[in-house]
Amino acid sequence: MNKVVKAASLAASVLLVACSGSPEKPEQQASNVPYDNRPDWVKLPIVEDGLASTQCVAKKGSSSIMQAKATALARAEIARQIEVKATALDKTYQRLTEASVGDSFGSSFESVSKTVANQNLSGTRAVKAEYVLGIDGQPEYCVMVTMSPSLTKDLFNDLLKEANANVNAQNEAILYEEFKAFKAHNELDELTAE
């Protein structure tokens, strides 16, 4: 009987050791993934019919230095957005001119986008700034920079002018929608199908 008790004790010990060394369940592993509890204006900056970017920097040094750095990064991101939108605008413009009766040619929107972007970036402004906890739990200083809808429209008009794009009012409206949010694909497809 003593051997049976010892054997049972040994089996229980082996079972406990085996259970304690088992890998974590998937739901336990998922809880180790950092949770992004930053505010929405940081994760997904939006300004209707305009451009927006939020950039964060690690909390180091004075707040004025952190604000200047985050603002510069946000403005650089808006410039990048303008270049991406100009690339899409270029493709849409080419499709519109090919679909119309007479082709009109202009300079590439891509080639003039940097010049026009630099001229218009002075109209951007920081609209929100505060300390937030980053994904890693460390404090960050975040700044949201926007370009207002009226300045976005001016930017679009400047791109048309600099690219020497000759478009009618309907095509200009389609191009502007494309520039704002890449939403004009359906309208463009309908226009080119006619």
Side-chain angles (χ1 to χ4, degrees), residues 60-71 131 141 143:
K60 294 180 183 173
S62 72
S63 61
S64 61
I65 291 173
M66 289 184 293
Q67 183 169 11
K69 184 176 180 181
T71 302
Y131 288 101
Y141 191 77
V143 175

Side-chain angles (χ1 to χ4, degrees), residues 129-148:
E130 67 182 55
Y131 288 101
V132 300
L133 284 180
I135 295 173
D136 60 358
Q138 298 299 313
E140 298 176 325
Y141 191 77
C142 299
V143 175
M144 180 178 177
V145 172
T146 63
M147 180 179 282
S148 71

